[in-house]
Amino acid sequence: MTDSTQPVEPPPVDASPVEPPPVDASPGEIPPVDASPGEIPPVDALIVVDVQAAFVTGGGAVPDADRLVDRTTELIARARRAGALVVHLQNDGPPGSEDEPHTPGWELHHRVEPGPRELVIRKPEDDGFRRTPLGRVLADAGVRAVAVCGVMSEMCVRATARTALERDYRVVVPYDAHATQDAPAVPGVAEAVPAAVVSRVAAYSLGSDAEVTVPAAGVAFTAPGKAPTAPGKA
């Protein structure tokens, strides 16, 4: 696997958080639980997990993919304006898979603006930290808090967020900015589970240390090194 990262430069001293827009929950969307209308402290990095053509376009797209893309687009734009670090994770699927490298489905959906604060990291496994330079990139940038969005909720999003928690980052997983497929029925074992339910359970399985009831519109950004750490952690 090739390392497509670029060096991360120190943030300018005058970077400041960007005010989040008002929440605009759509009809039919599962509402947040215990969500506060007040602002949460800003994060200094955005990790966009596997928002690739195979998963958000065509017949293999996650349910309500257009809304997911709207949310991730919004997050990326606000992270850029605030000078936060933006990392696009790109999954390298096995031969014959819908996200096999250098096939149409493997391509990132969002346009990338390469530079010291935005980069692409290819990954061979669910966890964006495993066998990639993501951990070094975040550490070198002085990142303290991350927002994680993308697909799939119970696989790559959860695995990446879980490792970020274990590495003592403050972790925000906006409830309306990650998605997955329906869990199919297993005859004689279980009925089908709607994708929205799978996503919610995946997020809550991260435990109380992760912030999972915040909408994308409630996530604020700042430059690396300026975000608060996780509660109780230096």
Side-chain angles (χ1 to χ4, degrees), residues 4-5 40 52 59 83 108 116 138 175 180 182 190:
S4 55
T5 63
I40 64 168
Q52 295 166 246
L108 292 173
L138 296 180
Y175 73 87
T180 191
D182 296 340

Side-chain angles (χ1 to χ4, degrees), residues 57 118 159 169 205:
T57 63
E118 185 162 349
Y169 290 102
S205 72

Side-chain angles (χ1 to χ4, degrees), residues 173-214:
V173 183
Y175 73 87
D176 56 350
H178 62 95
T180 191
Q181 300 285 2
D182 296 340
V186 180
V189 177
E191 297 180 354
V193 181
V197 176
V198 177
S199 290
R200 165 151 285 182
V201 171
Y204 272 79
S205 72
L206 291 167
S208 59
D209 287 340
E211 298 168 47
V212 300
T213 63
V214 180

Side-chain angles (χ1 to χ4, degrees), residues 1-6 89 119-123 128-140 167:
M1 182 183 69
T2 59
D3 180 355
S4 55
T5 63
Q6 301 182 30
L89 295 182
L119 63 155
V120 177
I121 295 179
R122 294 170 58 179
K123 65 182 184 64
F129 288 88
R130 186 171 172 81
R131 297 167 59 194
T132 78
L134 178 59
R136 174 176 54 80
V137 166
L138 296 180
D140 288 350
R167 296 188 179 208

Side-chain angles (χ1 to χ4, degrees), residues 20-153:
V23 177
D24 61 343
S26 304
E29 181 176 318
I30 293 181
V33 178
D34 297 329
S36 168
E39 296 178 17
I40 64 168
V43 300
D44 45 9
L46 174 66
I47 302 176
V48 185
V49 183
D50 302 350
V51 181
Q52 295 166 246
F55 308 131
V56 295
T57 63
V62 296
D64 214 359
D66 288 345
R67 183 165 57 182
L68 172 68
V69 168
D70 286 345
R71 298 299 188 269
T72 53
T73 298
E74 167 198 326
L75 288 167
I76 292 169
R78 287 194 284 111
R80 286 170 176 162
R81 290 199 298 269
L85 179 68
V86 178
V87 178
H88 300 264
L89 295 182
Q90 184 175 28
N91 196 66
D92 286 347
S97 67
E98 56 192 354
D99 58 345
E100 178 182 354
H102 310 298
T103 63
W106 174 78
E107 298 295 336
L108 292 173
H109 182 78
H110 292 296
R111 178 179 57 83
V112 178
E113 296 183 358
R117 297 242 181 87
E118 185 162 349
L119 63 155
V120 177
I121 295 179
R122 294 170 58 179
K123 65 182 184 64
E125 301 185 27
D126 285 1
D127 185 350
F129 288 88
R130 186 171 172 81
R131 297 167 59 194
T132 78
L134 178 59
R136 174 176 54 80
V137 166
L138 296 180
D140 288 350
V143 168
R144 298 176 179 176
V146 301
V148 183
C149 63
V151 296
M152 302 289 182
S153 300

